[in-house]
Amino acid sequence: MIEFKNVSLQLGGRGILRNVSFRVEKGQSVLLAGNSGVGKSTILKLILGLIKPTEGSIRVLGQEISHLPEKRLLQIRQQCGMVFQEGALFDSLTIEENVGFFLRENKKFTAEQVFHKVVEILEYLGLEQYLHYYPSQLSGGMKKRVAIARAIIANPSILLYDEPTAGLDPISANRVVELIDDLRTRMSVTSVIVSHEIHYFLDVVDRMILLKEGTIFYDGVPQLNLFANANPSKAKYKINNGERLYGII
Amino acid sequence: MWFIERITGWFPDGAKPKPTWVGFTLKTLTSLPYALKYRWETMRQFYIMGNQAIPLVVVASMFVSMVLGLEWGKKLEPFGAKLMLGRMVSISVIREIGPMITGLMVAGRTGAKIVSEIGNMVLTEQIDALRAFGTDPVKRLIVPRVFASIMVMIPLTVLSDAFGIIAGWFASVVWMGIDSEFFWLSMRDGLFMKDLFIGFLKPPFYGFLIGLISGYYGYTIQGGAEGMGRAATKTVMYASLGVLIMDFVLTKIILSFY
């Protein structure tokens, strides 16, 4: 479903990724972890073709996208949902308009159909009373959930999450994680989650890819102790309720 | 479109993360028909740009025209030609002052508005979000703004001209002692359709330039709040300069025909 083969990326003369290769199968959930600035979010942008690799090949939904023209890329992107780090909600649009944006832009639905679909999704997320609010009137956790609603409205084949728990208090973060887990089981969607707060996602993902200095340091079963090995100088550890370890950068 | 992408290197890759000026201009020009698809957004931008710029344009035009009336009056007085004031003021306002003041005011106000809107959308990943949802941000955001800034120039120039002439009349009658009727008669005899044509031909070009420059600097913004400041400064500077240079170029071309 998603395949990176020897992908390298240089931006502004700086090497961001070096010979990155991995494959995500249909329905799989993968956590991309690593230190800040290691190129995790960049990989999501590469999957969507928002930036192009300097070298290597990227296949998404069976198509080689590294040299695809923008028009063809737009068609691929329409089958993907992306939750951006800060939500990236359109601040001049209401929550209803934000969530229904994709359907209004790309699909031939009536305004009434779009509205019903938006209400249905917002009810599922417990946000139906905020339909006519603007993003600036919502809390960080709510914005993240609205961003998820916007990403799933068109039943995408691939869902990409960029730091979905970043900047959230533990309760809001757990709600977002539960939501991601619920979506994974309900929609059987292929998910790629980028986060450095790996403790939240250990039970949610099938696999973990750990990045270090622009290369893949580990690819396999989710493990906490490897995160420390990838970031030996910066990682500190705390005991969470005496049960679980988690890394803090 | 495909060849434009190839020639201009428009679309970001590792080596070229931002579009070139040529690529951006070509892409915007070829996408202008999308103003029809996004007509509600275009109308909304037209309303915002026009409605909010009216007071600025009208006040600026009135004060410049009053100065014009006073200066011309003082210069014409020794020759006993004060009666020509109506003609002088109206021709100056319609052919040059009205379009120019409108262009400069819109460059400052609308230019800053567009660059901060688009720039903020880039910095908060809203542009990436648009692309991620399969929507072309140039067609969805830039084209409606550029089209609206082209369209809004004509009505704003009409208002600028009208209030400018009224202000010129006021200055001529109150401070230069010209008879009101003489002012209007002089204007009627001296003003021709050609002057109106020249006066209304230029503003849409200014509008295109303002929309394009501000859209480009907003779209290529880098570096947070500081970058926003840099982009806004560049936009106002280049858009204002662009209006002045475009005015000269168009005047030269028009005068070579008339």
Side-chain angles (χ1 to χ4, degrees):
Chain A
M1 186 143 255
I2 301 169
E3 188 180 16
F4 274 51
K5 258 189 198 166
N6 304 320
V7 171
S8 298
L9 176 72
Q10 286 205 327
L11 280 176
R14 195 167 73 91
I16 308 289
L17 297 174
R18 283 184 291 121
N19 274 322
V20 170
S21 300
F22 66 88
R23 195 180 156 88
V24 182
E25 301 297 341
K26 193 178 176 189
Q28 212 174 29
S29 282
V30 174
L31 174 66
L32 276 174
N35 219 347
S36 295
V38 80
K40 308 185 295 287
S41 303
T42 307
I43 288 182
L44 295 190
K45 290 186 177 176
L46 284 166
I47 293 172
L48 287 173
L50 295 177
I51 46 177
K52 292 186 175 179
T54 316
E55 277 174 41
S57 118
I58 301 170
R59 290 185 78 82
V60 177
L61 296 164
Q63 283 206 64
E64 166 63 52
I65 64 157
S66 5
H67 301 292
L68 224 49
E70 187 76 359
K71 200 174 178 180
R72 298 273 305 280
L73 277 170
L74 293 179
Q75 291 164 2
I76 299 222
R77 288 178 195 146
Q78 286 174 6
Q79 297 174 64
C80 303
M82 169 97 177
V83 178
F84 286 85
Q85 190 167 352
E86 303 291 336
L89 299 177
F90 306 125
D91 45 24
S92 61
L93 303 182
T94 63
I95 300 309
E96 186 233 321
E97 289 165 336
N98 260 287
V99 176
F101 182 83
F102 179 84
L103 296 184
R104 287 199 184 89
E105 286 286 304
N106 301 297
K107 308 269 173 168
K108 307 287 177 205
F109 289 114
T110 64
E112 204 175 325
Q113 285 171 320
V114 173
F115 182 76
H116 284 303
K117 183 90 176 152
V118 170
V119 171
E120 187 187 315
I121 287 188
L122 288 178
E123 274 175 358
Y124 163 62
L125 295 168
L127 291 167
E128 67 276 15
Q129 66 271 42
Y130 300 103
L131 211 59
H132 302 298
Y133 281 52
Y134 283 90
S136 58
Q137 297 170 292
L138 301 185
S139 69
M142 286 174 177
K143 279 183 195 169
K144 285 274 164 69
R145 278 149 63 207
V146 172
I148 292 174
R150 189 177 64 171
I152 62 173
I153 196 157
N155 297 320
S157 312
I158 298 171
L159 263 175
L160 308 169
Y161 302 91
D162 191 3
E163 301 280 9
T165 53
L168 299 185
D169 61 87
I171 296 168
S172 304
N174 277 320
R175 285 193 74 175
V176 170
V177 174
E178 282 166 18
L179 180 62
I180 291 171
D181 195 24
D182 192 44
L183 286 172
R184 185 177 69 104
T185 44
R186 262 177 197 240
M187 296 170 66
S188 321
V189 69
T190 307
S191 311
V192 180
I193 303 162
V194 158
S195 179
H196 61 271
E197 298 173 310
I198 58 173
H199 60 285
Y200 281 123
F201 300 99
L202 286 179
D203 303 329
V204 177
V205 296
D206 307 308
R207 206 171 116 209
M208 180 170 95
I209 295 173
L210 199 53
L211 290 167
K212 186 185 177 186
E213 292 166 6
T215 57
I216 291 182
F217 178 76
Y218 171 79
D219 185 351
V221 180
Q223 289 183 43
L224 262 176
N225 58 345
L226 281 159
F227 192 61
N229 295 338
N231 309 284
S233 59
K234 293 184 180 174
K236 293 175 184 171
Y237 291 87
K238 281 188 178 177
I239 302 294
N240 183 14
N241 298 329
E243 292 174 348
R244 175 173 282 180
L245 288 163
Y246 62 95
I248 300 170
I249 298 298
Chain B
M1 283 311 298
W2 177 84
F3 77 94
I4 290 173
E5 289 172 23
R6 279 297 162 100
I7 292 170
T8 60
W10 157 263
F11 288 106
D13 54 28
K16 285 181 184 166
K18 294 289 174 190
T20 61
W21 168 247
V22 176
F24 187 83
T25 306
L26 285 175
K27 169 95 179 176
T28 306
L29 275 172
T30 52
S31 303
L32 273 181
Y34 279 86
L36 200 64
K37 180 184 175 187
Y38 296 115
R39 54 191 172 279
W40 294 116
E41 176 63 9
T42 308
M43 290 301 289
R44 199 174 74 88
Q45 290 300 329
F46 177 82
Y47 174 77
I48 294 169
M49 286 176 192
N51 207 28
Q52 293 176 352
I54 288 173
L56 186 68
V57 166
V58 164
V59 170
S61 175
M62 284 176 78
F63 278 95
V64 173
S65 302
M66 280 195 285
V67 171
L68 202 69
L70 293 174
E71 290 282 3
W72 273 122
K74 284 285 176 200
K75 293 289 172 203
L76 292 173
E77 203 170 20
F79 304 101
K82 269 201 313 183
L83 294 179
M84 300 284 281
L85 254 180
R87 174 180 303 209
M88 301 303 286
V89 167
S90 58
I91 289 177
S92 305
V93 166
I94 285 188
R95 285 180 69 133
E96 189 58 38
I97 300 296
M100 171 65 74
I101 291 293
T102 308
L104 290 176
M105 294 300 118
V106 172
R109 203 199 169 286
T110 306
K113 173 192 171 294
I114 294 176
V115 75
S116 53
E117 270 179 5
I118 303 291
N120 184 50
M121 291 187 82
V122 172
L123 295 176
T124 55
E125 292 188 307
Q126 291 176 54
I127 297 283
D128 279 345
L130 271 179
R131 293 175 68 206
F133 289 118
T135 301
D136 187 331
V138 171
K139 290 171 184 167
R140 181 70 170 75
L141 296 173
I142 306 293
V143 164
R145 282 165 174 77
V146 171
F147 199 83
S149 70
I150 294 171
M151 298 303 291
V152 83
M153 290 302 285
I154 294 284
L156 283 178
T157 307
V158 170
L159 283 173
S160 174
D161 287 354
F163 280 90
I165 289 172
I166 291 168
W169 162 80
F170 180 79
S172 306
V173 171
V174 174
W175 292 304
M176 298 311 301
I178 302 284
D179 186 81
S180 176
E181 200 170 337
F182 273 120
F183 183 92
W184 296 117
L185 279 173
S186 166
M187 179 182 131
R188 193 195 65 186
D189 293 343
L191 206 59
F192 298 100
M193 280 307 287
K194 186 180 80 175
D195 300 312
L196 290 172
F197 170 74
I198 292 171
F200 291 121
L201 183 75
K202 298 177 192 174
F205 287 94
Y206 302 161
F208 174 69
L209 212 58
I210 293 163
L212 198 67
I213 290 171
S214 51
Y216 176 75
Y217 282 113
Y219 202 89
T220 55
I221 198 164
Q222 277 176 326
E226 201 181 321
M228 183 75 89
R230 266 199 309 271
T233 309
K234 277 184 181 174
T235 295
V236 175
M237 191 172 81
Y238 289 127
S240 306
L241 265 178
V243 166
L244 295 171
I245 294 167
M246 181 70 89
D247 182 42
F248 166 73
V249 172
L250 289 174
T251 305
K252 197 85 179 78
I253 293 171
I254 291 165
L255 290 180
S256 66
F257 286 105
Y258 287 104

